[in-house]
Amino acid sequence: MTNRHWQGNDGYWGNHWQNPQYRRISLEQAISIAQEQVPGNVVKAELDYDDGRLIYEIDIRTAQGLKYEVKVDANTGQVIRVKLD
């Protein structure tokens, strides 16, 4: 995929699942929600489409060195799962 899709008016971006119109919370908000569940440093954060819904997957490393994956619903802001990686 080229950058022209993200900037052009070819219809690709309008119907793409990563378009911001399909989510209600921002990545920054999702990170904040995840860090409320697991305090630490974010090492990775991405938007994904999983089981028919948009989610943010956020990896957090704690002060103890443990790494957790927190999944946050991109529409509701609800924490779906917290898993030790």
Side-chain angles (χ1 to χ4, degrees):
M1 176 172 62
T2 63
N3 287 337
R4 71 179 175 80
H5 288 303
W6 300 107
Q7 297 171 359
N9 293 326
D10 61 3
Y12 180 85
W13 174 241
N15 295 319
H16 196 275
W17 63 270
Q18 288 182 322
N19 188 322
Q21 77 180 11
Y22 296 119
R23 49 195 143 125
R24 293 205 171 105
I25 66 168
S26 68
L27 178 60
E28 292 78 18
Q29 290 169 312
I31 288 171
S32 178
I33 292 166
Q35 286 180 314
E36 288 175 9
Q37 295 292 311
V38 180
N41 295 320
V42 174
V43 294
K44 182 177 113 182
E46 65 184 8
L47 180 66
D48 197 10
Y49 191 74
D50 191 22
D51 292 331
R53 64 180 167 184
L54 282 176
I55 60 166
Y56 289 106
E57 290 182 0
I58 301 155
D59 292 346
I60 299 175
R61 185 160 314 275
T62 66
Q64 295 78 24
L66 300 173
K67 188 172 122 191
Y68 287 87
E69 178 185 76
V70 182
K71 291 189 176 189
V72 179
D73 188 293
N75 289 311
T76 66
Q78 176 185 2
V79 175
I80 299 167
R81 184 174 80 189
V82 177
K83 179 178 103 174
L84 181 62
D85 256 357

